[in-house]
Amino acid sequence: MNHKWNYQPITHEQAETSRALAQELGISPILSQLLVQRGIERAGDARKFFRPQLPDLHDPFLMKDMDLAVERLNQAMGKKERILVYGDYDVDGTTAVALVYKFIQQFYSNIDYYIPDRYNEGYGISKIGIDYAASTEVGLIIVLDCGIKAVEEITYAKQKGIDFIICDHHVPDAVLPPAVAILNAKRLDNTYPYSHLSGCGVGFKFMQAFAINNGIEFHHLIPLLDLVAVSIASDIVPIMGENRILAHHGLKQLNSNPSTGMKAIIDVCGLAEKEITVSDIVFKIGPRINASGRIENGKKAVDLLTEKEFSTALEKAGQINLYNETRKDLDKSMTEEANQIVANLEGLIDRRSIVIYNEDWHKGVIGIVASRLTEIYYRPAVVLTRTDNMATGSARSVSGFDVYKAIEHCRDLLENFGGHTYAAGLSMKVENVPAFTERFEAFVTEHILPEQTSPVIEIDAEIDFRDITPKFYSDLKKFNPFGPDNQKPIFCTHHVYDYGTSKVVGRDQEHIKLELVDNKSNNVMNGIAFGQSSHVRYIKTKRSFDICYTIEENTHKRNEVQLQIEDIEPIEQ
């Protein structure tokens, strides 16, 4: 796939700000430019960015309804009511349930947790779950990472004498459910200064408020931050503002003193001897937790995350690892089938979206398949399967396009929907699939921008190899943790040459191991270009080419950096 490189030089005013910032902080002007691009223009803000501090977390009571939520929880505990912690079956939901359950359980024993079955109950609050709560004499349900649209279900629960506290971060409708308290910074009447918390992050703020109200010192909350970090990375929420503080300290906790369950997952992932990063969570830890809800039941993930005995946790982690292997096999076969369907779609070249339906597909993997199609075809994708008499599915989007709005535009054709800008879930009557496909395509065609329909590599800065000094790399590492709104910087260097030792590597000879020089310095830089062996013939001609890349630590040679080449562009002579 051909990538377009996009580089927007900073303005004259930004350049002035960047120069002043570099001088005050004692860092490279290139790095101060990266700060300015991220909206950080003052030295004080830069120091907070480089050294996120837990005391800088917002007061949880700034969130609408937080006082009501804490009051109702205190009341339930005072009256010895049975409390049920209820959450979604994905990583964000299961980490959120584990966090709230583990914290409250330290002070109160009449508490349990519940994860709905993806296949029998579907997404969110179910009547089956409410009936279970009623049968076990639950008086209060704390629901996490879902519930914001469950008007009918929470009304049903109220009739059975069950109160709800909702902790959610999905976009609400105009009519809110009749819950005792609704903690969601995306409410229209929001009073909280940060609106991008994960579902687990909202649960953490609730527990922080509960702790403040009951005189429990903050250090009791710190062991829970590994769960928050895993939710932030897995749910792809912005890693700026309050999320940056939570992710930074959560990664510290994950690396220094993870919970028993998390330590077991780290072991089965083969990460025990490694410093865990956001990428490790996204590609290794998160998928294993998710696999539990996709293949079996999300409750098994919470069982693992709340386990106290390490030997038992290792057994449970091993089982979840097996679910992940099953998930990978399903993912591979379904993606191949989906590709065949897409390849045969009429007028594919002119389409701006992809909507496909196969009633035999596994419901637990369709979100992954939608992601794969978005990566391959670079269009918003909706993948649907059949559950009972309904078509249920997942949507994924391309950078900059709000797929939630596109789905909302078709709401009269839907039975249910919910989600974010880049990922959503939906269900409809099977007979509505053709009409939905047509209207979804029309909305996407009208609103998607030309630059959103082909893959773009955003270049943060153009640099020379002489700029990559040990201090430069040391300061660059302070930009961690990386993620949405603070992506790992991509640099571009023009007119580089093969030093003479570059070669094709990999089992199928698909990668290039590079040794490069540029025309501005004598520095020889090591690099790896995954899946780009088609360029090797050109590289070996000793002609110059441009590269864009991230700067990584060489895992085989400590204290040495290597370039991870994102793309290679030959220079026409």
Side-chain angles (χ1 to χ4, degrees):
M1 184 177 279
N2 293 323
H3 291 84
K4 182 188 171 194
W5 298 12
N6 185 35
Y7 176 58
Q8 296 285 341
I10 57 173
T11 65
H12 176 71
E13 290 78 11
Q14 286 177 317
E16 290 295 315
T17 305
S18 174
R19 270 193 287 275
L21 203 53
Q23 204 164 1
E24 198 168 345
L25 295 171
I27 61 172
S28 160
I30 296 159
L31 298 181
S32 65
Q33 177 184 318
L34 297 183
L35 289 171
V36 171
Q37 287 168 334
R38 284 156 177 71
I40 299 163
E41 299 187 340
R42 294 197 296 266
D45 293 336
R47 290 188 183 101
K48 282 188 174 185
F49 177 80
F50 285 147
R51 290 190 291 276
Q53 301 293 318
L54 289 168
D56 289 332
L57 291 172
H58 298 304
D59 176 356
F61 286 99
L62 293 172
M63 192 177 288
K64 183 93 174 155
D65 282 6
M66 187 63 83
D67 52 342
L68 300 175
V70 172
E71 185 185 336
R72 183 65 185 88
L73 177 55
N74 284 336
Q75 183 189 78
M77 292 168 76
K79 289 184 174 178
K80 297 189 166 42
E81 288 180 72
R82 185 153 181 77
I83 299 169
L84 188 67
V85 186
Y86 187 119
D88 188 22
Y89 37 64
D90 71 356
V91 181
D92 194 13
T94 52
T95 52
V97 167
L99 184 150
V100 170
Y101 174 79
K102 282 172 76 172
F103 192 68
I104 296 175
Q105 199 199 27
Q106 295 175 73
F107 315 103
Y108 188 71
S109 60
N110 195 13
I111 184 169
D112 200 1
Y113 54 84
Y114 186 92
I115 303 290
D117 185 277
R118 184 190 288 261
Y119 305 101
N120 296 333
E121 298 170 72
Y123 170 77
I125 298 165
S126 71
K127 288 189 176 175
I128 294 172
I130 292 166
D131 289 342
Y132 166 80
S135 71
T136 54
E137 299 182 342
V138 166
L140 174 66
I141 295 178
I142 300 168
V143 62
L144 296 131
D145 193 35
C146 57
I148 197 64
K149 292 189 172 187
V151 175
E152 187 185 325
E153 291 80 6
I154 291 178
T155 302
Y156 176 73
K158 274 190 80 173
Q159 291 163 1
K160 291 181 173 284
I162 300 170
D163 282 342
F164 265 84
I165 295 169
I166 297 173
C167 305
D168 204 352
H169 69 135
H170 295 95
V171 179
D173 280 337
V175 178
L176 296 174
V180 171
I182 298 174
L183 308 178
N184 186 333
K186 291 191 177 80
R187 287 175 63 160
L188 290 174
D189 56 354
N190 170 50
T191 54
Y192 195 67
Y194 188 74
S195 62
H196 301 295
L197 292 166
S198 64
C200 185
V202 179
F204 180 83
K205 296 307 293 190
F206 182 22
M207 293 301 95
Q208 186 189 1
F210 172 77
I212 291 167
N213 183 262
N214 287 280
I216 300 163
E217 291 185 12
F218 185 85
H219 69 80
H220 290 288
L221 290 158
I222 290 174
L224 304 170
L225 287 171
D226 59 351
L227 293 164
V228 185
V230 168
S231 82
I232 287 170
S234 301
D235 220 52
I236 320 179
V237 291
I239 305 190
M240 289 292 274
E242 192 163 36
N243 277 345
R244 181 171 174 80
I245 301 171
L246 293 167
H248 173 87
H249 289 277
L251 281 165
K252 253 171 92 171
Q253 187 68 21
L254 204 57
N255 280 293
S256 63
N257 191 21
S259 65
T260 304
M262 206 62 87
K263 187 175 185 306
I265 300 172
I266 289 165
D267 271 29
V268 300
C269 289
L271 295 171
E273 303 302 316
K274 183 182 179 299
E275 184 179 356
I276 295 161
T277 64
V278 166
S279 286
D280 294 319
I281 296 171
V282 171
F283 294 109
K284 294 187 177 177
I285 295 171
R288 283 168 172 80
I289 297 172
N290 243 340
S292 177
R294 292 186 188 282
I295 305 303
E296 188 66 28
N297 188 297
K299 185 175 184 293
K300 298 204 171 181
V302 183
D303 293 344
L304 167 58
L305 294 171
T306 55
E307 180 56 57
K308 292 174 184 173
E309 288 292 327
F310 185 64
S311 58
T312 310
L314 262 183
E315 277 179 41
K316 290 176 178 175
Q319 183 59 61
I320 275 175
N321 201 41
L322 289 176
Y323 294 150
N324 193 48
E325 292 303 313
T326 304
R327 188 272 306 167
K328 285 197 279 192
D329 291 341
L330 282 167
D331 169 10
K332 187 171 182 290
S333 63
M334 280 169 57
T335 300
E336 285 170 2
E337 287 174 24
N339 262 322
Q340 286 173 0
I341 294 171
V342 175
N344 292 320
L345 284 176
E346 197 176 316
L348 176 62
I349 292 171
D350 299 320
R351 285 176 187 254
R352 289 290 169 265
S353 69
I354 291 168
V355 180
I356 56 174
Y357 169 69
N358 183 324
E359 63 178 29
D360 298 323
W361 279 341
H362 193 287
K363 187 181 173 185
V365 187
I366 51 178
I368 300 172
V369 176
S371 293
R372 299 269 185 266
L373 295 179
T374 300
E375 288 164 16
I376 296 164
Y377 298 99
Y378 222 75
R379 291 159 218 202
V382 179
V383 178
L384 299 159
T385 188
R386 188 172 182 134
T387 307
D388 298 326
N389 294 318
M390 302 288 277
T392 60
S394 289
R396 296 292 183 270
S397 194
V398 294
S399 181
F401 183 78
D402 191 337
V403 77
Y404 179 86
K405 278 189 181 165
I407 290 169
E408 190 176 38
H409 177 69
C410 310
R411 68 184 304 153
D412 59 300
L413 297 170
L414 306 175
E415 298 299 308
N416 205 352
F417 71 99
H420 312 280
T421 302
Y422 294 123
L426 64 163
S427 64
M428 69 191 85
K429 291 173 181 166
V430 173
E431 59 264 31
N432 285 351
V433 171
F436 171 82
T437 304
E438 195 175 310
R439 199 184 308 170
F440 183 79
E441 167 67 18
F443 184 92
V444 175
T445 301
E446 187 181 342
H447 292 89
I448 201 162
L449 301 172
E451 58 267 29
Q452 292 168 343
T453 59
S454 59
V456 175
I457 295 176
E458 299 288 347
I459 309 290
D460 290 87
E462 295 179 343
I463 66 173
D464 302 321
F465 287 168
R466 65 187 170 196
D467 297 314
I468 307 171
T469 63
K471 180 174 179 357
F472 178 89
Y473 182 64
S474 173
D475 289 338
L476 178 63
K477 285 201 289 187
K478 294 175 187 171
F479 281 76
N480 266 303
F482 296 114
D485 288 5
N486 180 39
Q487 296 289 0
K488 188 173 285 188
I490 295 178
F491 302 101
C492 169
T493 300
H494 297 290
H495 295 286
V496 303
Y497 304 83
D498 176 28
Y499 186 60
T501 47
S502 298
K503 60 183 179 183
V504 174
V505 295
R507 188 189 301 169
D508 299 316
Q509 301 285 284
E510 68 271 44
H511 316 309
I512 316 173
K513 193 173 186 309
L514 297 148
E515 285 193 327
L516 302 171
V517 289
D518 66 1
N519 61 359
K520 298 275 181 70
S521 65
N522 294 319
N523 293 9
V524 179
M525 294 298 303
N526 291 311
I528 183 78
F530 293 112
Q532 297 183 60
S533 58
S534 60
H535 290 294
V536 78
R537 188 173 294 171
Y538 179 93
I539 289 167
K540 285 295 185 185
T541 65
K542 290 294 184 108
R543 286 180 288 174
S544 67
F545 51 97
D546 297 340
I547 54 170
C548 60
Y549 54 88
T550 59
I551 302 173
E552 312 288 343
E553 194 156 355
N554 190 330
T555 50
H556 303 295
K557 294 180 183 174
R558 292 197 70 169
N559 302 320
E560 191 178 291
V561 301
Q562 75 171 4
L563 313 181
Q564 185 163 312
I565 314 292
E566 299 293 318
D567 204 12
I568 293 168
E569 202 167 86
I571 295 170
E572 297 302 325
Q573 301 296 327

